[in-house]
């Protein structure tokens, strides 16, 4: 069973940046596609970024494209989410998630394991 532990959330003013990270246990991390999802107050959980096992493919929804960048360091079993130009509507709990197999997950139904989440709050 793979365990994911997020860190690096926090409180930031609008226009600021944060870089949450997600550390995975176990071996064969490069065989997992990894994604980030968020749940904002009063909303369903939504996809915000995904990356293939090799790191060669990434994808984002329009709401964060150009502001968020997902990356991974397979030697450290860690995936990152660089978030720039943050807006109050980016506030929420950010979850790291993984999919067995190297393809990049974009929906909750594809996910095999989840992290516990890290809170991101953007003040106006």
């Amino acid at each position: 069973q793979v365990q994911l532990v997020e860190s690096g959330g926090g409180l930031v003013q609008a226009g600021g940046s944060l870089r949450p990270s997600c550390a995975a246990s176990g071996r064969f991390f490069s065989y997992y596609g990894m994604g980030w999802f968020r749940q904002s107050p009063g909303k369903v959980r939504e996809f915000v970024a995904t990356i293939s096992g090799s790191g060669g493919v990434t994808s984002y929804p329009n709401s964060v494209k150009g502001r968020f960048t997902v990356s991974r360091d397979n030697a450290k079993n860690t995936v990152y989410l660089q978030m720039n130009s943050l807006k109050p509507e980016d506030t929420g709990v950010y979850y790291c998630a993984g999919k067995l197999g190297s393809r990049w997950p974009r929906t909750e139904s594809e996910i095999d394991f989840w992290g516990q989440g890290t809170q991101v709050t953007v003040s106006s």
Side-chain angles (χ1 to χ4, degrees), residues 14-43:
S17 298
L18 282 173
R19 192 194 190 209
S21 62
C22 171
S25 65
R27 301 189 295 170
F28 311 118
F29 180 65
S30 63
Y31 292 133
Y32 307 143
M34 299 296 295
W36 287 92
F37 294 75
R38 72 183 177 198
Q39 186 158 22
S40 301
K43 296 185 178 181

Side-chain angles (χ1 to χ4, degrees), residues 34-117:
M34 299 296 295
W36 287 92
F37 294 75
R38 72 183 177 198
Q39 186 158 22
S40 301
K43 296 185 178 181
V44 299
R45 190 156 53 185
E46 62 177 343
F47 154 73
V48 295
T50 186
I51 187 166
S52 63
S54 68
V57 179
T58 59
S59 180
Y60 310 89
N62 289 336
S63 58
V64 307
K65 193 174 294 184
R67 299 189 298 121
F68 289 12
T69 303
V70 60
S71 62
R72 64 192 296 161
D73 185 338
N74 286 342
K76 296 182 178 179
N77 277 21
T78 302
V79 62
Y80 307 94
L81 184 65
Q82 178 68 47
M83 305 189 295
N84 299 328
S85 302
L86 282 162
K87 306 175 182 180
E89 52 264 44
D90 294 318
T91 293
V93 179
Y94 282 69
Y95 296 91
C96 174
K99 170 185 171 59
L100 298 174
S102 61
R103 291 187 65 83
W104 46 103
R106 285 180 287 188
T107 63
E108 291 195 44
S109 62
E110 298 177 80
I111 299 303
D112 294 304
F113 36 87
W114 293 90
Q116 82 288 352

